[in-house]
């Protein structure tokens, strides 16, 4: 990444430090609040749902009962699989160094980041390796300079400028501000430029910045394919998030990223209900003050059969889209759809314990000397990527085996691998583990209006943010936003909702620890 200027560094340092000192900002800074909600439901125990439970506890205090519904494993799209003696990441795998919420979570939970194992990347066009990283930074720099001029450096600077605006969301959330829609949240971060990015393709955005089609095809497309399984025709905002995912310094959680979810759930003192939510309906009941009060009846099916419970607030932290959810909504006016427009893109993650066929990659290099760990591909290739996997816990003295030895590889593809494809890519294998993920939306701008955060008075939809970009940190940002939104709307603190330009009004930071 290009060197950050001192002003940027100081802003980030202040934001980062501030996150540690504001644990219970609302309850500590607000006057004593009356009539707290008694029961809150969170539907889904992935990173979004468990982070929402954590932040709801932070906002509403110890007395509220929080139930988290999850029919499968805690972690959602963060998951691992055991092969031989080790566990390997099969879901969301990389976290950016500037993902401040994820950093805060592991610090709060006392979890370590995974030991770093050096890696090298190559790009494959279906016939041969068109680019292969060297162990030497200066060699990589001059190779890129020779082929693409300063485009790679300019790309990093462009992504950096977007990240600088993105970082504003931590400042807003630091001071307890929330946003009623994805568009308002994006506008608060990056103004009209972020909304423009959402409604044009990454290709259009980058060509408008002067990048060549050759650079987009050769370098940018492989990055969007490995991160989102899609081409440079995804929206420009998620495209920038994807390119940020190619930065150095990416990290993961020791023992698997899903540990963050179980840790947040435990820390939130929520009750995990192993059940599938089938419907949510609005119920009106008389209150002790004489007026009527509305509640949400959550119906669900678990091992012990069907049941239902009433809640003051409900947070939906699972996608309300075809193939992802079958929750029905009744009694709402205007009606709430069971499925929003658009669909989730299938990515198949296949873990193979075997010996890779180096000649498939069109290289004559001996397998014993082939030390590339991540092979990205250009458009038209049958697979999106081929990566050598390390265990989620790196043992003492671990060294990644060379390609001449049997080890675990991960292949991303849109469709399941056929036996013929396996035989092409691998000389031999003894186990194959396939996971079919509807992992992220199909990003095809111009994007129709994103789904709302607010579905009804006290019914919120966390996963709306995925239609801007799907990533662990985006879910964490959305979790904090809906927790703040739920808190402020419950207590009618409208001055804390949809306020902008904090970054100019708060240019001189007060003591963040107060």
């Amino acid at each position: 990444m290009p060197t950050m200027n001192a002003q940027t560094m100081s802003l980030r340092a202040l934001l980062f430090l501030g996150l540690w000192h504001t644990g219970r900002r609302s309850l500590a800074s607000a006057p004593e609040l009356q009539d707290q909600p008694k029961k809150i439901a969170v539907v889904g125990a992935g990173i979004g749902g468990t982070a929402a439970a954590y932040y709801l506890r932070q906002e509403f205090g110890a007395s509220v009962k929080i139930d988290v519904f999850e029919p499968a494993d805690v972690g959602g799209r963060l998951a691992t699989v055991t092969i031989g003696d080790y566990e390997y990441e099969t879901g969301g795998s990389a976290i950016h160094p500037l993902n401040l919420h994820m950093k805060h979570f592991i610090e709060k939970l006392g979890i370590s980041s995974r030991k770093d194992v050096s890696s090298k990347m190559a790009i494959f066009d279906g016939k041969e390796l068109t680019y292969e990283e060297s162990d030497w930074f200066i060699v990589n720099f001059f190779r890129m300079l020779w082929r693409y001029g300063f485009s790679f450096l300019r790309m990093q600077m462009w992504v950096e400028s977007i990240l600088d605006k993105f970082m504003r969301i931590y400042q807003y959330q630091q001071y307890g501000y929330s946003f009623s829609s994805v568009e308002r949240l994006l506008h608060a971060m990056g103004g009209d430029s972020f909304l423009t990015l959402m409604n044009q393709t990454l290709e259009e955005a980058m060509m408008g910045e002067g990048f060549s089609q050759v650079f987009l095809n050769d370098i940018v497309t492989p990055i969007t394919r490995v991160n989102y399984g899609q081409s440079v025709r995804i929206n420009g905002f998620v495209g920038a998030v994807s390119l940020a995912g190619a930065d150095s310094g990416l990290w993961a959680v020791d023992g698997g990223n899903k540990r963050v979810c179980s840790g947040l759930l435990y820390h939130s003192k929520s009750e995990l209900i192993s059940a599938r939510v089938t419907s949510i309906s609005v119920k009106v009941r008389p209150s002790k003050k004489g007026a009527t009060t509305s509640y949400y009846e959550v119906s669900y099916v678990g091992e012990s059969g069907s049941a239902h419970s009433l809640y003051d607030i409900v947070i939906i932290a699972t996608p309300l889209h075809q193939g992802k959810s079958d929750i029905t909504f009744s009694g709402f006016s205007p009606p709430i759809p069971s499925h929003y427009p658009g669909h989730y893109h299938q990515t198949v993650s296949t873990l193979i314990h075997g010996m890779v066929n180096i000649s498939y990659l069109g290289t004559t290099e001996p397998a014993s000397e082939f030390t590339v760990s991540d092979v990205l591909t250009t458009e038209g290739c049958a697979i999106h990527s081929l990566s050598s996997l390390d265990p989620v816990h790196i043992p003492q003295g671990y060294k990644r085996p060379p390609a001449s030895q049997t080890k675990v590889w991960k292949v991303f593809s849109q469709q399941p691998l056929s036996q013929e494809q396996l035989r092409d890519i691998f000389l031999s294998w003894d186990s194959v583990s396939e996971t079919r993920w509807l992992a992220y939306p199909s990003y095809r701008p111009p994007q129709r209006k994103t789904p709302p955060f607010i579905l009804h008075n006290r019914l919120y939809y966390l996963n709306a943010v995925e239609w801007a970009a799907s990533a662990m940190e985006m879910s964490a940002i959305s979790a904090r936003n809906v927790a703040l939104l739920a808190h402020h709307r419950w207590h009618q603190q409208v001055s804390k909702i949809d306020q902008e330009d904090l970054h100019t009004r708060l240019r001189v930071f007060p003591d963040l620890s107060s």
Side-chain angles (χ1 to χ4, degrees), residues 204-270:
E204 289 166 345
M206 293 191 74
M207 289 188 82
E209 294 287 333
F211 293 94
S212 71
Q213 189 72 58
V214 171
F215 182 75
L216 289 169
N217 294 345
D218 291 0
I219 301 298
V220 180
T221 295
I223 296 169
T224 61
R225 280 167 65 82
V226 70
N227 287 324
Y228 289 102
Q230 295 165 71
S231 73
V232 288
R233 288 175 289 282
I234 60 177
N235 82 58
F237 183 78
V238 73
V241 169
S242 182
L243 294 176
D247 275 348
S248 58
L250 300 179
W251 59 281
V253 175
D254 185 38
N257 294 328
K258 68 179 183 180
R259 288 186 65 199
V260 174
C261 301
S262 49
L264 289 171
L265 197 59
Y266 174 82
H267 209 77
S268 70
K269 296 181 172 60
S270 302

Side-chain angles (χ1 to χ4, degrees), residues 11 16 26 28 92 100 114 141 166 173 184 189 205 216 254 278 295 312 329 373 398 400 485 494 509:
L11 171 61
F16 192 57
S26 290
L100 299 193
R114 199 175 304 167
F141 178 79
F166 183 93
Q173 294 188 338
R184 283 182 178 272
M189 287 193 279
L216 289 169
D254 185 38
T278 55
Y295 297 91
D312 297 299
F329 298 90
S373 51
Y398 174 83
R400 187 182 291 130
L485 201 53
V494 292
F509 279 65

Side-chain angles (χ1 to χ4, degrees), residues 153-169:
L153 189 60
R154 285 179 51 240
M155 179 182 80
Q156 290 180 305
M157 293 171 69
W158 181 68
V159 172
E160 178 74 17
S161 70
I162 292 169
L163 277 173
D164 283 344
K165 292 176 182 174
F166 183 93
M167 297 294 285
R168 291 173 184 165
I169 193 58

Side-chain angles (χ1 to χ4, degrees), residues 426-470:
F426 294 92
L427 296 171
S428 61
W429 64 89
D430 51 47
S431 75
V432 176
S433 173
E434 178 188 280
T435 307
R436 301 185 191 191
W437 295 110
L438 289 175
Y440 24 70
S442 180
Y443 294 106
R444 292 177 183 169
Q447 172 73 42
R448 280 174 289 187
K449 194 176 179 185
T450 56
F453 282 137
I454 304 168
L455 298 180
H456 191 249
N457 296 346
R458 300 186 306 280
L459 176 64
Y460 300 93
Y461 181 35
L462 187 150
N463 288 67
V465 82
E466 288 196 282
W467 292 84
S470 179

Side-chain angles (χ1 to χ4, degrees), residues 82-99:
T82 302
I83 298 176
D85 297 330
Y86 298 109
E87 270 188 281
Y88 298 87
E89 207 83 66
T90 186
S93 57
I95 304 167
H96 193 275
L98 294 179
N99 286 173

Side-chain angles (χ1 to χ4, degrees), residues 94-163:
I95 304 167
H96 193 275
L98 294 179
N99 286 173
L100 299 193
H101 286 329
M102 291 298 290
K103 279 188 169 182
H104 172 62
F105 292 158
I106 68 163
E107 176 74 14
K108 188 77 175 174
L109 301 173
I111 304 172
S112 303
S113 57
R114 199 175 304 167
K115 285 182 192 171
D116 189 41
V117 181
S118 62
S119 59
K120 286 201 304 185
M121 181 271 292
I123 295 174
F124 179 55
D125 68 358
K127 295 177 182 176
E128 62 182 358
L129 297 178
T130 57
Y131 175 79
E132 186 175 338
E133 259 188 329
S134 163
D135 290 322
W136 299 91
F137 168 80
I138 195 70
V139 173
N140 294 326
F141 178 79
F142 280 111
R143 279 180 185 169
M144 280 290 180
L145 189 63
W146 176 256
R147 291 191 68 167
Y148 305 108
F150 287 101
S151 290
F152 195 79
L153 189 60
R154 285 179 51 240
M155 179 182 80
Q156 290 180 305
M157 293 171 69
W158 181 68
V159 172
E160 178 74 17
S161 70
I162 292 169
L163 277 173

Side-chain angles (χ1 to χ4, degrees), residues 482-502:
V482 296
L484 288 166
L485 201 53
H487 177 272
H488 300 332
R489 283 165 56 84
W490 180 271
H491 293 291
Q492 285 142 28
Q493 296 172 334
V494 292
S495 64
K496 288 285 194 177
I497 301 170
D498 292 336
Q499 301 297 318
E500 290 205 26
D501 297 325
L502 273 190

